[in-house]
Amino acid sequence: MTDFSNAPELIRVENLHKSFGSLHVLNGITDTIHKGEVVSLIGPSGSGKSTLLRCLNRLEEPTSGHIWFDGVDIADKSVNIDLHRQKMGMVFQHFNIFPHMSVIDNITLAPVLLKKASKDEAIAKAESLLARVGLSDKRDNKPSRLSGGQKQRLAIARALAMEPEVMLFDEPTSALDPEMVGEVLEIIKSLAKNNMTCVIVTHEMGFAREVCNRVLFMDEGIIMEQGDPHQVFDHPQNPRTQDFLSKVL
Amino acid sequence: MLLQNIMKLLQKYGMNFLNGLGTTLLLALISVAIGCVIGAIVAILRLGKSKILKAIATVYTEVVRDTPLLLQLYFFYFLLPDIMPALKLSKFACITIALVFNSGAYMAEVFRSGIQSIDRGQTEAARSLGLSSRQTMTRIILPQAFKNVLPAMCNEFVAVTKETSLASTFYVGDLMTQYQTISGKTYLVIEPLIIIGIIYFIVTFSMSKFITVLERRLKSDD
């Protein structure tokens, strides 16, 4: 496995806490994600892994702690988070495609609106992204005509159109029919190969083992164990990890 | 006898009935069109962050919805010329403003439910791309909400069309006003009532049918 500890830092999370009322979901998370790293977050449901991911682009407001992204503490409420979100792509479990727009408009909306590209440039870029995710023939369709797998591939293309520095995946294959999981994982895999930094909340243990550089096992709102996938999956040290893996593998 | 009288009335006062219908539809159209804009703004304020604006929007919609329309018509009819004598508002203008004020509150509720019916994931996806909350509202939420509330908006139009009859209290020339005038002139009560009843029915019934078709169209569009 490639060692990323010398690669530049992209995201540094420091002592992150998140609670919903009296429910403590994150209890002090500290971790550094380096450029080009592919990190998966695994753990039982309710362990806080999705909340952690959603805190990274502040879809959830952290209760306390710091999130350094490109040298800026984006957990600071005075930061204009919209600007930083442009550099963090996100893919959701339920795709969240914009149903009132054609496939290509879904992709070009943000780059054009946020002045990252002219209309023509955005369209050219969107077309190449559609080719990359295998949806060229759906260019002008309405999203309702797409299958779940196609919607998720479109969602990935939509996020990539902003040329993000990191891609956040929130259980990207959990809502898919089994036969469509592969096509989505293939695309994430190709992103990883092209050195896109990825943080992936997933239940696909085989995928996490094969594609990720590092696996974080979370439970009760903390990172219980982390490391190289082979180490975590084959020789888990923490009894909680052992217990979890024995149930899912 | 009844039929004969109706035919006679139609011959003699046909134009009056048509004019009345025109005024009724005009009143309804203005109320719903401007009410729609007011409603969208009020709905956004009610769902927005500012506590003060939220409170104002809430008070507005609740007061309008929990008092009789006729009372509101009286209120504006007497209040507006009093507080703004310089504008020299006509009777018709005062009544129109009252109807707009009323319709805005109902449209606000229609829009609010429309906005709330849009999945949270839509907002999250838009915000995750870097869109501001305003851009998310105008580009993602409102276009979808508008489509969802289109049938309800048409229903509001049907309701307002019927409610304009209350405006006849002030003789603004709507269909019901025509009834009062014609009935006064001819001493016929039932016959003109039947005529305007049929006119109201035809207009609102065909609009309701149109809404059904519209709803089916919008559904198949998805």
Side-chain angles (χ1 to χ4, degrees):
Chain A
M1 272 293 149
T2 331
D3 182 13
F4 282 90
S5 51
N6 291 325
E9 277 184 20
L10 188 60
I11 302 175
R12 191 168 85 240
V13 179
E14 272 176 22
N15 200 20
L16 193 72
H17 286 258
K18 170 71 183 174
S19 39
F20 296 100
S22 61
L23 183 70
H24 298 278
V25 184
L26 297 180
N27 292 310
I29 302 280
T30 297
D31 190 58
T32 303
I33 293 162
H34 296 89
K35 268 201 171 96
E37 230 184 346
V38 180
V39 179
S40 69
L41 301 175
I42 63 168
S45 52
S47 59
K49 52 197 193 305
S50 275
T51 306
L52 172 58
L53 190 80
R54 290 161 57 83
C55 278
L56 293 182
N57 65 353
R58 262 179 56 194
L59 281 186
E60 300 292 351
E61 291 288 349
T63 308
S64 67
H66 303 280
I67 301 165
W68 299 90
F69 175 60
D70 267 350
V72 178
D73 183 6
I74 58 170
D76 180 347
K77 293 216 173 24
S78 63
V79 160
N80 179 0
I81 190 64
D82 294 341
L83 292 176
H84 298 282
R85 281 182 180 145
Q86 295 183 19
K87 295 182 278 179
M88 308 172 112
M90 188 163 206
V91 174
F92 300 85
Q93 181 177 357
H94 295 289
F95 331 130
N96 300 342
I97 291 302
F98 305 134
H100 60 303
M101 295 177 184
S102 68
V103 165
I104 187 119
D105 288 346
N106 261 276
I107 304 179
T108 57
L109 173 81
V112 174
L113 197 58
L114 303 171
K115 309 214 163 43
K116 274 210 57 125
S118 70
K119 183 93 193 166
D120 290 342
E121 288 164 2
I123 289 174
K125 168 105 189 163
E127 281 167 347
S128 81
L129 283 168
L130 281 176
R132 191 162 159 196
V133 299
L135 290 175
S136 293
D137 56 327
K138 307 288 182 197
R139 184 187 188 281
D140 299 308
N141 284 26
K142 271 288 170 78
S144 54
R145 310 234 175 259
L146 303 182
S147 70
Q150 290 169 332
K151 279 183 186 156
Q152 196 59 304
R153 286 187 275 151
L154 170 58
I156 294 172
R158 177 177 69 180
L160 290 173
M162 289 300 288
E163 300 180 340
E165 292 174 26
V166 57
M167 286 285 283
L168 311 173
F169 293 90
D170 191 2
E171 302 195 21
T173 59
S174 297
L176 293 175
D177 291 338
E179 73 267 26
M180 292 169 182
V181 170
E183 62 193 63
V184 171
L185 291 184
E186 275 309 311
I187 290 179
I188 302 176
K189 209 188 282 183
S190 82
L191 286 179
K193 272 204 190 108
N194 288 303
N195 299 320
M196 172 64 80
T197 312
C198 297
V199 185
I200 310 168
V201 172
T202 186
H203 294 290
E204 298 286 333
M205 297 303 154
F207 175 79
R209 180 200 291 253
E210 183 190 353
V211 178
C212 295
N213 313 109
R214 194 152 62 93
V215 175
L216 306 183
F217 172 73
M218 284 184 67
D219 199 8
E220 293 173 359
I222 57 171
I223 298 171
M224 289 268 178
E225 181 164 4
Q226 64 150 308
D228 189 87
H230 296 284
Q231 179 201 320
V232 174
F233 283 116
D234 300 332
H235 308 287
Q237 303 298 310
N238 190 305
R240 301 298 283 268
T241 322
Q242 291 165 358
D243 181 53
F244 173 74
L245 290 174
S246 74
K247 282 177 189 151
V248 297
L249 285 182
Chain B
M1 201 42 198
L2 196 72
L3 211 59
Q4 270 177 350
N5 281 342
I6 288 179
M7 295 312 289
K8 264 190 214 150
L9 279 178
L10 280 178
Q11 264 173 11
K12 193 157 179 207
Y13 297 105
M15 273 321 281
N16 297 53
F17 287 119
L18 278 183
N19 283 338
L21 175 62
T23 307
T24 289
L25 290 178
L26 185 68
L27 277 172
L29 203 65
I30 296 175
S31 317
V32 172
I34 305 178
C36 193
V37 177
I38 296 176
I41 295 169
V42 171
I44 291 171
L45 294 182
R46 254 193 110 160
L47 297 169
K49 283 202 185 103
S50 161
K51 288 225 169 77
I52 301 165
L53 293 174
K54 199 182 211 158
I56 294 172
T58 309
V59 168
Y60 164 60
T61 46
E62 292 308 324
V63 166
V64 170
R65 293 187 332 135
D66 299 331
T67 54
L69 173 59
L70 190 56
L71 182 149
Q72 293 162 20
L73 291 174
Y74 268 102
F75 191 70
F76 277 89
Y77 182 77
F78 291 119
L79 178 81
L80 288 180
D82 248 20
I83 55 169
M84 291 184 290
L87 285 180
K88 295 209 165 53
L89 287 170
S90 67
K91 218 161 54 170
F92 186 82
C94 292
I95 293 306
T96 308
I97 291 170
L99 284 171
V100 164
F101 184 79
N102 178 271
S103 181
Y106 283 93
M107 291 307 296
E109 285 304 281
V110 168
F111 268 105
R112 188 164 70 113
S113 70
I115 290 170
Q116 284 176 325
S117 73
I118 306 298
D119 185 66
R120 246 195 88 71
Q122 292 289 310
T123 304
E124 290 185 348
R127 297 306 305 272
S128 79
L129 288 165
L131 269 65
S132 67
S133 60
R134 179 184 292 243
Q135 286 166 330
T136 302
M137 189 48 90
T138 57
R139 298 305 191 101
I140 305 299
I141 306 302
L142 282 183
Q144 294 182 62
F146 187 75
K147 204 176 129 178
N148 285 359
V149 303
L150 212 50
M153 258 164 63
C154 295
N155 275 324
E156 173 67 10
F157 184 72
V158 170
V160 172
T161 305
K162 288 182 286 181
E163 281 169 357
T164 53
S165 59
L166 288 174
S168 68
T169 315
F170 307 95
Y171 284 88
V172 290
D174 69 310
L175 207 45
M176 201 71 188
T177 309
Q178 300 297 340
Y179 162 75
Q180 290 169 333
T181 330
I182 294 164
S183 164
K185 273 188 196 156
T186 59
Y187 302 107
L188 292 170
V189 182
I190 296 297
E191 291 85 347
L193 207 52
I194 290 176
I195 294 174
I196 64 159
I198 290 173
I199 298 177
Y200 274 120
F201 181 82
I202 292 173
V203 170
T204 49
F205 182 77
S206 44
M207 281 195 286
S208 306
K209 282 290 138 200
F210 166 76
I211 296 166
T212 316
V213 175
L214 186 73
E215 271 177 325
R216 212 175 301 141
R217 271 273 178 80
L218 289 173
K219 243 183 219 139
S220 68
D221 229 31
D222 278 335

